[in-house]
Amino acid sequence: MDFAAAMPLAGTLGVVIQEGTKDRVAGTLPVRPEICTAGHIVHGGAIMAFADCLGAVGAFLTLPEGATGTTTIESKTNFLGGGPVGSVLVGEAVPVKIGKRLSVWQTRIRTEEGAEVALVTQTQMALWPA
């Protein structure tokens, strides 16, 4: 499944999801001028959206039977460094806890060279038919 294609924002940002399993979701985000702030550094909102895309894929892959989707209900980001224009950010989301209705995912974002950019923890809630 092309997870990025299922999320229009992922396509707009340029997110590429290279691996999507119940245990790990990995992807990249090229840092272009359009997603940067002053100083040609990736905008914090783009970092948060990148992490949310990865965590959402993991949450979707771990949905319980009968659930129709997932939504983020909480997200916390620790910014650890910058991502300069022209670099590629690498993200890896792993589950912290998978429950019946909620899952918690932690996403570590680095540059391709390994410099820490952000650590994001998010809670995803399973959606059920009305």
Side-chain angles (χ1 to χ4, degrees), residues 76-93:
K76 183 201 184 297
T77 303
N78 291 101
F79 295 104
L80 307 171
V85 71
S87 66
V88 175
L89 301 184
V90 177
E92 178 185 45

Side-chain angles (χ1 to χ4, degrees), residues 87-109:
S87 66
V88 175
L89 301 184
V90 177
E92 178 185 45
V94 295
V96 175
K97 170 119 173 115
I98 305 296
K100 182 173 181 172
R101 294 193 176 266
L102 299 176
S103 63
V104 178
W105 291 79
Q106 189 168 69
T107 304
R108 183 171 298 277
I109 299 173

Side-chain angles (χ1 to χ4, degrees), residues 29-113:
L29 174 65
V31 180
R32 309 178 327 274
E34 301 89 337
I35 63 169
C36 287
T37 187
H40 307 287
I41 301 296
V42 66
H43 191 284
I47 291 170
M48 293 164 59
F50 177 38
D52 191 66
C53 289
L54 298 178
V57 168
F60 178 80
L61 292 171
T62 59
L63 283 174
E65 188 174 331
T68 58
T70 183
T71 189
T72 305
I73 62 169
E74 183 179 41
S75 184
K76 183 201 184 297
T77 303
N78 291 101
F79 295 104
L80 307 171
V85 71
S87 66
V88 175
L89 301 184
V90 177
E92 178 185 45
V94 295
V96 175
K97 170 119 173 115
I98 305 296
K100 182 173 181 172
R101 294 193 176 266
L102 299 176
S103 63
V104 178
W105 291 79
Q106 189 168 69
T107 304
R108 183 171 298 277
I109 299 173
R110 298 180 171 107
T111 64
E112 281 186 312
E113 293 75 30

